[in-house]
Amino acid sequence: RVMALPFQQEIVSQLIEEDGLLVLGTGLGLPQILLQFVRLYSDPSGGNMVFLLGASAEERASLMEELRLDGATTLPKHLGSEMTAQDRVASYLSGGLFFVSGRTLVVDLLSKRLPAHLITGILVTHAHRVRETSSEAFILRLYRESNKVS
C-alpha cells in the first residue's frame, strides 16, 4: 500500500481548496498525491464528474491496483472508444472519475454528448508534455469556455 506523507496530504488539501497547478520534482511522491485525488473523486455520490488525462496505461493500472488493495468500493471508470456514445453518456451522467482518451473526450465535448457545465474537474498528469495543439490543451479550452465555475 502507498501511504501519503503529511506534506503530500497538505498539497492535496491546498489543491482541493483552491484550483492550482502542481509542479513536483522526481521522488517527491506524485503517485501518492494522484492516488489521493483519484480515491476522493472516484465516488459518484459526491456529485463529481472528474477526468484524468495524460496518465499512461501503466499509471492507470497502478492506481486501480492501489485502490483495490485499499478496499475501495468505487473505482474510476475507463471509457474506451469501443463503448457506444450512449454508454459513455450514461457513464458520464452517473458521475465519478473517468479515464478517457483525449480524442474520445474531444468528440464528446464537441458533439455536446458530454455537458461541460457538469464537469467538476480535470486532472492532467505530465502537464509539461501538453502543447498548445494537443488534445489535452483543446479539452481544457473547451472546458473553460463552457464551464466558468469549476
Side-chain angles (χ1 to χ4, degrees), residues 122-133:
I122 299 176
L123 301 170
V124 181
T125 63
H126 309 290
H128 60 285
R129 296 183 188 148
V130 174
R131 301 289 178 247
E132 188 176 335
T133 57

Side-chain angles (χ1 to χ4, degrees), residues 81-126:
S81 59
E82 71 283 352
M83 290 181 75
T84 66
Q86 293 85 355
D87 288 343
R88 286 194 311 273
V89 168
S91 289
Y92 294 145
L93 295 177
S94 70
L97 187 132
F98 302 94
F99 300 144
V100 62
S101 74
R103 173 176 274 179
T104 300
L105 194 53
V106 165
V107 168
D108 288 346
L109 283 167
L110 288 175
S111 67
K112 305 290 187 205
R113 286 187 201 114
L114 171 58
H117 69 280
L118 295 179
I119 298 173
T120 56
I122 299 176
L123 301 170
V124 181
T125 63
H126 309 290

Side-chain angles (χ1 to χ4, degrees), residues 18-74:
E18 191 171 326
D19 291 345
L21 172 67
L22 173 63
V23 178
L24 199 63
T26 302
L28 292 177
L30 182 59
Q32 292 86 350
I33 293 168
L34 189 56
L35 179 62
Q36 287 186 66
F37 279 110
V38 171
R39 186 180 293 126
L40 176 69
Y41 293 126
S42 291
D43 183 4
S45 68
N48 297 311
M49 183 188 293
V50 177
F51 295 89
L52 178 64
L53 302 176
S56 68
E58 181 180 276
E59 289 167 323
R60 292 189 307 265
S62 177
L63 288 167
M64 295 293 277
E65 181 62 23
E66 287 294 331
L67 290 169
R68 284 187 192 99
L69 290 173
D70 284 348
T73 56
T74 54

